[in-house]
Amino acid sequence: MKMQLGRKAVVGDTNWTNYSFRAKATKKKGIRGFILYFGHLDEANCTMWEVGSFTNTESMIHAMSSGTRSCLTQNLLSIELDVEDELEVRVEGRKIRTFLDGELVSETEHLVPVIEPLYYSASVEEASGDVIVKVVNA
């Protein structure tokens, strides 16, 4: 895949589990690098690799679920102007690895959130007026 227009590319579907893809990209202008979307259902439900994000200083893998973004991993990385880079994403189940020009950039796992019980109580001590809140994360 060769990205020529803009800085975004979309690959894959949310039901894909084991796959890899490569893209060659050349940064021509601007302060940011590229975004590769994968595991893509729509703009609110996908996974993305931002290469040279945040003023071209970071590499970040994000997961979007119902429009809420979570950062799975973040590294220092910058993209040079007018240099063709080979970007690669490897997905094995829920494990994600990214490579820039054959070198490992990041490795993470997109875990399914587990909602744990949270117990709480609150009371007021009448003599002092203090509010006492107790919270236990099981």
Side-chain angles (χ1 to χ4, degrees):
M1 163 181 22
K2 189 136 177 141
M3 295 173 16
Q4 294 178 344
L5 301 173
R7 55 184 284 265
K8 298 180 182 182
V10 178
V11 176
D13 195 292
T14 53
N15 62 3
W16 292 11
T17 55
N18 296 304
Y19 61 96
S20 65
F21 64 91
R22 291 183 183 152
K24 291 192 177 192
T26 304
K27 179 179 172 176
K28 293 294 187 182
K29 63 179 180 177
I31 59 171
R32 300 184 89 173
F34 315 108
I35 301 176
L36 298 177
Y37 288 90
F38 56 100
H40 191 269
L41 177 64
D42 54 37
E43 292 298 313
N45 298 281
C46 61
T47 310
M48 69 186 85
W49 178 26
E50 287 191 82
V51 187
S53 63
F54 190 69
T55 64
N56 196 28
T57 60
E58 299 175 329
S59 165
M60 303 169 76
I61 298 176
H62 299 282
M64 292 273 288
S65 179
S66 300
T68 301
R69 184 189 308 208
S70 299
C71 182
L72 302 179
T73 187
Q74 183 175 9
N75 312 62
L76 295 175
L77 179 78
S78 61
I79 300 295
E80 294 181 40
L81 282 173
D82 296 318
V83 173
E84 183 177 78
D85 291 302
E86 183 175 83
L87 312 171
E88 182 178 3
V89 175
R90 295 181 193 166
V91 177
E92 297 165 2
R94 302 198 70 76
K95 293 182 181 178
I96 303 166
R97 291 186 296 160
T98 60
F99 299 83
L100 177 66
D101 297 324
E103 297 290 324
L104 181 66
V105 172
S106 59
E107 189 168 14
T108 189
E109 191 167 0
H110 184 189
L111 299 173
V112 177
V114 176
I115 308 300
E116 297 287 342
L118 183 70
Y119 301 98
Y120 58 91
S121 70
S123 60
V124 175
E125 187 178 89
E126 290 184 24
S128 66
D130 290 344
V131 176
I132 301 167
V133 179
K134 297 178 184 177
V135 179
V136 176
N137 183 349

